[in-house]
Amino acid sequence: MPESNDHFTPYPDHVLENVLENVLAFLHSRRDRNAVSLVCRSWYRAEAYTRSDVFIGNCYALSPRRVTDRFTRVRSVTIKGKPRFADFSLLPVNWGAHFTPWVSGMANAYRTLEKIHLKRMSVTDDDLAAVANSFPRFKELVLVCCDGFGTAGIAAVVSRCRGLRVLELIEDEVSDDYVDWISCFPADGPTNLESLMFDCVESPINFESLENLVARSPLLKKLGLNRFVTIGQLHRLMTRAPQLTHLGTGSFSPPEQPEQHEHHENDNNRVSDYVSAFASCKSVVCLSGFREIAPEYLPAIIPVCANLSSLNLSFANINAEQLKPVIRHCHKLRVFWALDSIGDEGLQAVAETCKDLRELRVFPIDATENGEGLVSEMGLLAISIGCRKLQSILYFCQQMTNAAVVAMSKNCPDLVVFRLCIIGRFSPDHVTGEPMDEGFGAIVKNCKKLTRLAVSGLLTDRAFSYIGQYGKLVRTLSVAFAGDSDIGLKYVLEGCTNLQKLEIRDSPFGDSGLWSGLPRFYNMRFVWMSSCRVTREGCLDVARQLPRLVVEVFRRDEEEGGEKSDFVNTLYMYRSLDGPRADAPRFVNIL
Amino acid sequence: MMHLKETELCLGLPGGGEADTLKVNGKRGYSETVDLMLNLQTNDQSSSSTDLKDKKLQTSAKNNKDLIKPPAKAQVVGWPPVRNYRKNVMAQKSNTEEVTEKVVTTPGGSGSAAAFVKVSMDGAPYLRKVDLKLYESYQQLSDALAKMFSSFTMGDYGSQGMIDFMNESKLMDLLNSSEYVPSYEDKDGDWMLVGDVPWQMFVDSCKRLRIMKGSDAIGLAPRAMEKCKNRC
């Protein structure tokens, strides 16, 4: 950067820095900001001074101190902790990802912190109390797949953070401390609440307080109820908050035993009541919940279907006949989540109406191998034909064919995320008996924007050669029960030049495959390999060659020492600027 | 290890072609998959790392091109990759659906599969429900309620878990000593002190429970004693 020759300012660099800072205030993408910070020292400083949103993809990649030293004026922090396979019980319970050192590190440095967003972190009630006490301007708390806290912690936040706008608890494990947290919001006057989502809180809610809260929250747009809220109660809330845009509907069924004081009208009257409630909520674009749905009530949502962009029925056990009257109105739908109870026929109905569909997720009701397969390659094919703009798919099924996957790769060229889970391990194409290599090969070849891929079924090394050859943009790859030899892993580590996150389980990949990734590991966020054929020596070798890589080795069932086999049970490795973590439990060996 | 052959799934033409006739690249060897099945049969919780170790011992892993799927009910940890959160929700749903059926088909009264009654506690903002059929004694019920309402203690229930109603002073001591006592509404619609009748009789006649302050419950005591006298 050229020096200024301006004589009438004594500190030309500072002028340029001020200009730069003003310009950088408009720069939000963290990739762009990272690039800016590499230009030279003064740009690094200016960028650090102006970065208000900090994203930390791996809480162990660096210490809290390093963050607070570099970025001094931070409004929003996002931190991700445990590796994703923790969601499937593959990580021992006390492994780590504690929020405590972060909240204590930030408490002094970031007095103006407004937003905290955590994913897969262990958060305690004390941590939440610390948040409530340390940040006077605190506005937004979003916790996704977190655990370690309870309703007592939530109560601390809502009672003390008077400016709270957003409280979103998404798929967390929240312990029931028998604290009436919903009554702990400041009692007087209107609130600033814009979003309140507590679908995952597994404890009864004080409805009177909730209703009162909703009634005095004029800015509330997003409300996510838990399953303890009945459809009758939902009705009352909707009449209080007709301005809602996002609604998590709670149980969507009447209470088990009718309250004595309710009228005993027949069900038809009730449904029409609820229809009118939905009719008056003209702004609703996103519906979810339906946790214990009484299917006869589903048609109540029809008045909002024409405007819906997102519909999550993934906890609703409904069949195609129950889905069709509703889905045929959802012309604008972009996101659809469902259970496979809707069957191929239900998917066909989706394909016929939802021409703008971007994201589809189909979850299994029966997640056992050789269970009843309610959706198949037919449903996948129908979707690929009807929903040409599809970008993201997660599909659980019991049987699949290469032909259907190939068809999807051609019909849906915009696919960015392709995650297919054939539940039976090692399942081949059920028509031809072939491995699923060609299908996944077609996906990486034809879907040129693909960044995330999860494979399943019977797969040979050939599948991985396709992935390495064509998957140049792939950043996240999930592999389970697949491949023949180290060559498969080699193809991927050498070919996928943008690979960031690699998670592999139960596949015959060993040390030589692992070593082929040595040039890449510093450019990746993490590598997970469990129940593969990597040896302790192999991992030690990697650790020696790459000193800035933290190489963790442990057993899933928390036993220490005495490896039963030569192979490491779980290998989890990631780059770190501050060396190995100090909080590793005893059963984790850091090499 | 019973009848493994019968549960094996093989690829082949309908009408039972032999498994041996298929030779397609990439399928696991027969003997490996037998090992796989045996391992899974004996220890549902193990991952298949031991299977892979067995594979290491096979020198020619790809010679035999047959495929046999793992046995039907084997469950591998973390597979299929459905989040624990979702699994818990689905499991809880099926419990609720079972329970709802039971309650609906046999509304209250004896012989029902479950006996859910509402429990309220003075001062607590919401109700809970308990299934009385889950317990066999007043002590068990007391423990369960104590967990639910942690500030609540049920006082001393004597050797058989029944309040001795014939001893008025003892009763008064009880009501004055505990912070909270449980009361219940019986079939007649009267509110009684919990503990006045044998356990099974209580389960059959209890319609709902209310945990009230001992001082408020004193009003119930004379009536309870009268009913008890009438029964005896």
Side-chain angles (χ1 to χ4, degrees):
Chain A
M1 181 165 154
E3 289 273 351
S4 169
N5 291 324
D6 209 326
H7 290 295
F8 43 83
T9 51
Y11 305 112
D13 279 349
H14 287 194
V15 172
L16 288 166
E17 270 192 21
N18 281 337
V19 169
L20 186 59
E21 281 163 22
N22 281 311
V23 169
L24 288 182
F26 295 100
L27 202 65
H28 301 294
S29 148
R30 60 179 194 266
R31 290 199 179 89
D32 290 345
R33 283 189 157 269
N34 291 346
V36 161
S37 71
L38 293 174
V39 169
C40 68
R41 283 219 183 95
S42 71
W43 280 50
Y44 177 93
R45 278 195 305 267
E47 193 282 313
Y49 193 63
T50 55
R51 190 183 296 218
S52 59
D53 302 343
V54 174
F55 172 87
I56 296 154
N58 175 4
C59 65
Y60 287 126
L62 75 177
S63 65
R65 181 65 191 271
R66 189 178 285 268
V67 177
T68 55
D69 281 351
R70 177 173 170 184
F71 302 111
T72 51
R73 297 166 76 205
V74 170
R75 294 280 158 86
S76 153
V77 168
T78 301
I79 309 176
K80 293 187 172 183
K82 299 176 196 173
R84 195 178 74 96
F85 276 6
D87 295 346
F88 316 125
S89 307
L90 292 179
L91 193 71
V93 167
N94 298 318
W95 177 83
H98 303 289
F99 183 50
T100 311
W102 289 93
V103 67
S104 50
M106 295 190 299
N108 293 323
Y110 295 153
R111 299 296 297 166
T112 53
L113 190 69
E114 294 178 3
K115 173 177 170 180
I116 291 175
H117 182 146
L118 305 178
K119 186 167 185 181
R120 288 196 196 94
M121 299 282 293
S122 283
V123 182
T124 64
D125 289 333
D126 286 343
D127 294 338
L128 292 177
V131 168
N133 291 327
S134 309
F135 307 117
R137 299 223 205 128
F138 194 68
K139 297 192 169 82
E140 295 189 19
L141 182 65
V142 177
L143 300 177
V144 180
C145 296
C146 295
D147 62 6
F149 64 100
T151 47
I154 305 175
V157 172
V158 305
S159 61
R160 274 169 254 174
C161 301
R162 294 196 144 252
L164 196 67
R165 290 197 302 221
V166 171
L167 175 65
E168 291 178 2
L169 303 169
I170 299 170
E171 297 197 13
D172 304 305
E173 204 176 294
V174 182
S175 69
D176 186 359
D177 304 324
Y178 302 107
V179 170
D180 182 11
W181 62 275
I182 201 79
S183 302
C184 293
F185 282 89
D188 45 322
T191 74
N192 294 314
L193 273 180
E194 295 170 14
S195 172
L196 177 65
M197 308 195 63
F198 59 94
D199 312 53
C200 63
V201 178
E202 282 291 304
S203 55
I205 198 89
N206 180 339
F207 182 70
E208 203 181 298
S209 288
L210 174 61
E211 193 176 9
N212 173 282
L213 183 69
V214 168
R216 56 191 177 92
S217 300
L219 302 173
L220 193 68
K221 291 285 196 290
K222 301 187 186 182
L223 180 63
L225 306 168
N226 68 9
R227 66 176 176 88
F228 291 86
V229 178
T230 66
I231 192 169
Q233 292 171 332
L234 169 67
H235 181 190
R236 285 167 65 164
L237 292 173
M238 289 174 73
T239 55
R240 299 282 191 176
Q243 77 283 6
L244 287 174
T245 59
H246 292 59
L247 180 59
T249 58
S251 72
F252 217 71
S253 68
E256 278 165 26
Q257 291 164 8
E259 298 295 332
Q260 282 148 355
H261 61 270
E262 278 181 14
H263 315 287
H264 290 286
E265 301 165 307
N266 62 39
D267 274 351
N268 280 341
N269 281 352
R270 287 252 179 81
V271 176
S272 64
D273 281 347
Y274 303 142
V275 169
S276 60
F278 277 94
S280 60
C281 284
K282 298 188 197 318
S283 315
V284 166
V285 292
C286 175
L287 275 183
S288 61
F290 308 104
R291 293 282 294 264
E292 286 160 8
I293 189 172
E296 60 271 24
Y297 289 113
L298 186 59
I301 73 169
I302 288 177
V304 299
C305 284
N307 281 328
L308 271 188
S309 59
S310 171
L311 179 58
N312 180 351
L313 291 170
S314 69
F315 294 110
N317 187 347
I318 57 169
N319 58 32
E321 286 316 304
Q322 292 160 334
L323 175 70
K324 281 183 194 174
V326 166
I327 203 73
R328 67 183 187 84
H329 297 281
C330 299
H331 300 280
K332 288 194 193 165
L333 207 62
R334 295 212 162 186
V335 175
F336 183 57
W337 293 20
L339 284 174
D340 62 358
S341 57
I342 64 172
D344 287 332
E345 196 185 333
L347 291 172
Q348 178 67 48
V350 172
E352 278 164 18
T353 310
C354 307
K355 297 304 182 189
D356 242 355
L357 198 70
R358 309 293 160 117
E359 178 178 325
L360 174 68
R361 297 196 192 190
V362 180
F363 296 95
I365 278 201
D366 174 11
T368 55
E369 298 185 69
N370 299 332
E372 200 189 341
L374 298 168
V375 299
S376 70
E377 72 276 6
M378 304 303 295
L380 191 75
L381 188 61
I383 290 288
S384 77
I385 292 171
C387 308
R388 297 299 177 107
K389 299 187 191 172
L390 200 66
Q391 293 171 351
S392 170
I393 182 165
L394 169 63
Y395 196 85
F396 284 84
C397 57
Q398 295 281 357
Q399 65 185 38
M400 187 48 59
T401 63
N402 281 308
V405 179
V406 171
M408 176 158 268
S409 77
K410 292 182 178 160
N411 291 334
C412 304
D414 290 340
L415 276 175
V416 173
V417 173
F418 185 81
R419 299 157 70 191
L420 176 62
C421 180
I422 307 171
I423 295 176
R425 291 163 292 148
F426 314 111
S427 297
D429 178 323
H430 82 96
V431 168
T432 66
E434 300 278 318
M436 292 300 298
D437 298 342
E438 298 307 313
F440 286 101
I443 290 287
V444 282
K445 190 171 170 198
N446 298 331
C447 303
K448 308 217 192 300
K449 304 179 190 174
L450 197 77
T451 59
R452 182 170 179 185
L453 179 66
V455 301
S456 62
L458 182 67
L459 293 170
T460 72
D461 287 341
R462 174 175 290 232
F464 296 99
S465 79
Y466 290 145
I467 294 172
Q469 185 179 359
Y470 297 109
K472 295 306 183 190
L473 294 184
V474 170
R475 292 205 300 266
T476 305
L477 179 63
S478 302
V479 176
F481 304 99
D484 299 319
S485 73
D486 281 350
I487 300 199
L489 183 55
K490 193 166 181 299
Y491 283 138
V492 165
L493 285 171
E494 288 177 357
C496 297
T497 45
N498 274 302
L499 195 61
Q500 292 288 302
K501 301 185 253 187
L502 180 60
E503 42 188 36
I504 305 176
R505 65 166 295 185
D506 293 280
S507 300
F509 303 138
D511 295 338
S512 74
L514 185 65
W515 294 333
S516 58
L518 279 171
R520 287 217 41 78
F521 293 144
Y522 277 159
N523 292 329
M524 294 176 67
R525 190 178 296 172
F526 71 80
V527 173
W528 168 290
M529 291 180 69
S530 59
S531 302
C532 295
R533 302 170 67 153
V534 183
T535 67
R536 201 183 160 83
E537 280 64 44
C539 297
L540 264 168
D541 230 38
V542 172
R544 275 189 218 114
Q545 305 239 23
L546 299 175
R548 300 276 225 168
L549 205 66
V550 175
V551 179
E552 294 192 13
V553 160
F554 49 89
R555 291 183 60 80
R556 176 176 42 81
D557 48 18
E558 292 188 31
E559 273 175 43
E560 302 174 39
E563 288 283 336
K564 290 200 183 110
S565 73
D566 296 328
F567 298 135
V568 151
N569 183 280
T570 304
L571 162 68
Y572 178 55
M573 54 191 207
Y574 49 89
R575 61 191 170 188
S576 171
L577 294 173
D578 288 310
R581 57 191 175 112
D583 65 358
R586 282 188 318 157
F587 56 82
V588 170
N589 295 317
I590 299 184
L591 305 179
Chain B
M1 287 227 286
M2 47 301 163
H3 311 302
L4 275 178
K5 285 272 181 214
E6 287 168 24
T7 57
E8 284 169 13
L9 296 180
C10 305
L11 285 181
L13 299 169
E18 281 84 15
D20 289 340
T21 55
L22 285 174
K23 307 227 181 273
V24 180
N25 274 340
K27 291 196 184 160
R28 291 164 64 84
Y30 172 83
S31 45
E32 298 158 32
T33 47
V34 168
D35 286 335
L36 184 72
M37 290 193 298
L38 289 179
N39 283 332
L40 291 169
Q41 284 278 321
T42 49
N43 184 355
D44 286 349
Q45 288 297 309
S46 66
S47 70
S48 34
S49 58
T50 44
D51 309 323
L52 295 167
K53 194 171 71 148
D54 290 332
K55 203 173 165 185
K56 181 180 160 190
L57 301 172
Q58 320 285 337
T59 47
S60 51
K62 289 185 190 139
N63 278 352
N64 204 325
K65 306 293 184 189
D66 311 317
L67 173 77
I68 293 165
K69 273 188 175 178
K73 293 299 178 190
Q75 294 290 317
V76 174
V77 173
W79 186 264
V82 173
R83 271 190 187 162
N84 285 337
Y85 173 79
R86 174 168 288 279
K87 275 192 187 157
N88 292 339
V89 169
M90 299 304 284
Q92 180 273 324
K93 267 163 66 72
S94 57
N95 286 345
T96 309
E97 279 154 21
E98 278 168 32
V99 158
T100 312
E101 278 167 28
K102 282 179 198 163
V103 172
V104 164
T105 52
T106 54
S110 48
S112 57
F116 275 88
V117 298
K118 285 188 187 168
V119 185
S120 62
M121 177 167 164
D122 288 358
Y126 46 74
L127 309 183
R128 305 306 298 267
K129 266 191 181 155
V130 286
D131 176 5
L132 295 177
K133 297 272 178 171
L134 290 178
Y135 312 107
E136 284 160 42
S137 69
Y138 284 115
Q139 193 56 52
Q140 286 185 8
L141 175 63
S142 166
D143 291 342
L145 290 176
K147 279 191 197 139
M148 262 188 210
F149 298 99
S150 50
S151 60
F152 154 71
T153 52
M154 220 149 111
D156 181 15
Y157 264 90
S159 57
Q160 285 184 31
M162 282 169 56
I163 299 175
D164 183 0
F165 279 90
M166 297 317 287
N167 185 335
E168 187 170 339
S169 63
K170 216 172 165 190
L171 182 59
M172 284 306 146
D173 283 343
L174 173 68
L175 292 178
N176 286 323
S177 70
S178 324
E179 285 210 2
Y180 287 97
V181 291
S183 61
Y184 72 101
E185 185 182 0
D186 71 1
K187 274 189 191 147
D188 306 330
D190 294 326
W191 284 90
M192 314 291 290
L193 283 175
V194 169
D196 61 341
V197 296
W199 171 255
Q200 196 50 52
M201 204 185 288
F202 164 72
V203 172
D204 290 341
S205 71
C206 172
K207 277 173 43 188
R208 58 189 292 171
L209 280 161
R210 177 180 162 200
I211 302 169
M212 49 202 299
K213 292 212 146 111
S215 43
D216 291 340
I218 287 179
L220 294 181
R223 192 194 289 171
M225 285 178 66
E226 201 180 288
K227 261 198 165 170
C228 188
K229 281 182 194 149
N230 290 343
R231 280 198 197 101
C232 303

